[in-house]
Amino acid sequence: MYNQIIKKNDEYIVDIIDYGANGEGIAKIDGYTIFVQNALKGEKCKIHILKVLSSHAFAKVEEVLEESTHRVIPDCITYGRCGGCDLRHVDHEETLKIKQEKVQNLVNKMLDEKIIVSETIGMENPIFYRNKAIFPISQNKEVGLFAKRTHDIVEIKECKIQTKISQDIAKYIVSNWKYSIYDEKTKKGLLRSIMIREGFYTHEIMCLLVLSKKADIKIDVKELINKFPNIKTIVININEKDTNVVLGKENIPIYGEGYIIDKLGDYTFKISPNSFYQVNPIQTVKLYNLAMEKANLKQEDVLCDLYCGIGTIGIFAANFVKKVIGIEIVEDAIKDAKENAKLNNIQNIQFILGDVEQAFTKLLNNNIKPNVIIVDPPRKGLDKETISNLNKLKLERLIYISCNPASLVRDLKELEKVYDIKEICPVDNFPYTAHVECVALLQLEQDM
């Protein structure tokens, strides 16, 4: 309920009683919720109110009066301004508990079946882990990341989640850039951002220069390759649209073949500019192995891999089952998936290009009935038709992999009408951020 007494710029002394969805602290004043940036559960803080809404307010810490034992000094000089990380002021073990509690709170709030969420599977050395970096460029030729909730660019000194070489390459390209930089305010200029994709195990590197329009530009490719010999391809990406989407659809290789190769576990994968590929390979192997274990795959199984991307999950599963069918809407991803099956000598896999909502329905109407399904949808989760199809199928086993616990639990609420939710296990694919992957195991209710 809205508290008329609390106003913007007011200051209070509060106890932090819980964590919010983004890892911020939660305080209560007369039952009114206040989300406090960079506050830890168990702390007593002096806070400054930043924004007041009808149901809750936002605040920042002015002073920590009683400090949590889990508070640490951030190891990044731009932390607090940059939007890359949320939890660098918290020790690593506590961040894993925060993510477990985040999922558990959603389960307790939304699901009929109050299962106990498993402990978060962490990363042994959680720094420099991203194999994909997107760097916006300031008008002053500063390579950076966007500040939280804005498009203001914070210049990076040494980002702790992007690889060092990706930062070095981006800075080198910009320092030698002879053309204009795109200005989001005026919509003028050429270079919008630089994206670096890196094969974590092969060390092959792709450089994408995202331009606002086609242009006759000259880049000293030879010098760049001499400086960074692991660069296997350089691609110009054209993005003329005024949106938050980073890449356009048109890619023009100016060096190399326009893709790189990487390995996940025992498998080799081709990665194109627009293809989805998990950003933390070390944790992704754990994630996929966990999904395979929970799916308890058998040689007679027919498995559907919905939102298959470049075929990673289906290829991991193929040796354990009779057949895999993958569905994906991104054309380049399907092309890569088919090539990845050939690269790994996988014979029992089929890939279908199409929107899952429609293509999966069409598949079922053709009387193809999988008995095991793995879904790994984008952040928005599953559409209603796909949920309806999954419930009608009454599958033996259903694995739901999700990068968004809120949409995951929302969808599980509909799926638990037919299935028992056996397990939900968080995996820390994004250390020191508020994001977390989850693997959920569903089985057909025994009394159905």
Side-chain angles (χ1 to χ4, degrees), residues 182-443:
Y182 184 75
D183 187 333
E184 286 200 349
K185 295 178 181 177
T186 64
K187 313 302 179 188
K188 295 180 180 179
L190 191 59
L191 181 62
R192 297 183 70 143
S193 60
I194 296 171
M195 187 170 93
I196 309 293
R197 302 192 80 155
E198 182 179 354
F200 193 85
Y201 293 99
T202 63
H203 305 295
E204 294 188 4
I205 292 172
M206 173 194 301
C207 295
L208 282 98
L209 308 181
V210 184
L211 306 186
S212 62
K213 60 184 177 182
K214 285 188 176 180
D216 183 18
I217 63 171
K218 291 181 172 58
I219 298 170
D220 193 337
V221 171
K222 185 177 179 180
E223 184 178 347
L224 184 59
I225 302 306
N226 286 339
K227 181 77 174 176
F228 303 101
N230 284 352
I231 293 176
K232 297 301 178 185
T233 190
I234 302 170
V235 179
I236 301 294
N237 177 271
I238 309 300
N239 184 3
E240 298 178 340
K241 295 184 178 180
D242 182 22
T243 70
N244 289 329
V245 177
V246 175
L247 298 184
K249 293 184 178 180
E250 184 175 4
N251 294 299
I252 307 167
I254 60 173
Y255 172 77
E257 300 297 324
Y259 64 85
I260 58 171
I261 298 293
D262 197 16
K263 292 184 73 68
L264 276 181
D266 296 328
Y267 303 101
T268 301
F269 294 98
K270 173 187 171 184
I271 306 160
S272 295
N274 298 72
S275 296
F276 173 77
Y277 186 67
Q278 290 274 2
V279 299
N280 186 333
I282 290 175
Q283 292 299 96
T284 297
V285 172
K286 294 180 185 178
L287 180 79
Y288 290 173
N289 285 339
L290 179 67
M292 298 303 109
E293 175 192 334
K294 299 305 177 186
N296 191 23
L297 299 173
K298 299 177 176 61
Q299 283 296 326
E300 64 270 20
D301 287 335
V302 175
L303 168 70
C304 250
D305 175 14
L306 304 185
Y307 310 93
C308 67
I310 63 172
T312 49
I313 294 173
I315 287 170
F316 262 68
N319 286 334
F320 301 103
V321 300
K322 180 181 178 181
K323 184 175 182 179
V324 176
I325 303 169
I327 301 176
E328 170 62 50
I329 195 171
V330 179
E331 186 173 1
D332 284 348
I334 286 291
K335 289 179 181 177
D336 285 352
K338 291 178 179 178
E339 290 195 34
N340 288 332
K342 292 178 182 177
L343 277 174
N344 293 283
N345 196 29
I346 303 295
Q347 306 289 329
N348 61 333
I349 196 164
Q350 172 190 358
F351 294 107
I352 298 171
L353 173 64
D355 184 348
V356 166
E357 180 177 4
Q358 298 165 0
F360 185 44
T361 299
K362 184 177 179 181
L363 188 75
L364 299 179
N365 288 340
N366 287 335
N367 207 31
I368 295 174
K369 296 291 190 288
N371 62 305
V372 184
I373 289 182
I374 298 177
V375 300
D376 186 8
R379 289 189 61 81
K380 66 181 180 180
L382 299 174
D383 60 87
K384 291 182 179 179
E385 172 136 352
T386 300
I387 290 174
S388 175
N389 282 330
L390 294 173
N391 279 340
K392 288 175 185 175
L393 278 171
K394 297 182 179 179
L395 298 157
E396 296 173 23
R397 284 147 284 150
L398 170 60
I399 300 293
Y400 193 142
I401 300 174
S402 173
C403 62
N404 183 0
S407 59
L408 167 66
V409 176
R410 180 204 66 206
D411 292 346
L412 293 181
K413 176 69 176 175
E414 295 301 313
L415 292 166
E416 72 174 348
K417 295 174 181 176
V418 173
Y419 298 96
D420 287 323
I421 301 165
K422 294 296 187 181
E423 292 183 66
I424 302 176
C425 184
V427 181
D428 192 18
N429 273 36
F430 318 98
Y432 291 110
T433 77
H435 301 296
V436 64
E437 290 270 346
C438 289
V439 175
L441 167 62
L442 292 78
Q443 294 180 342

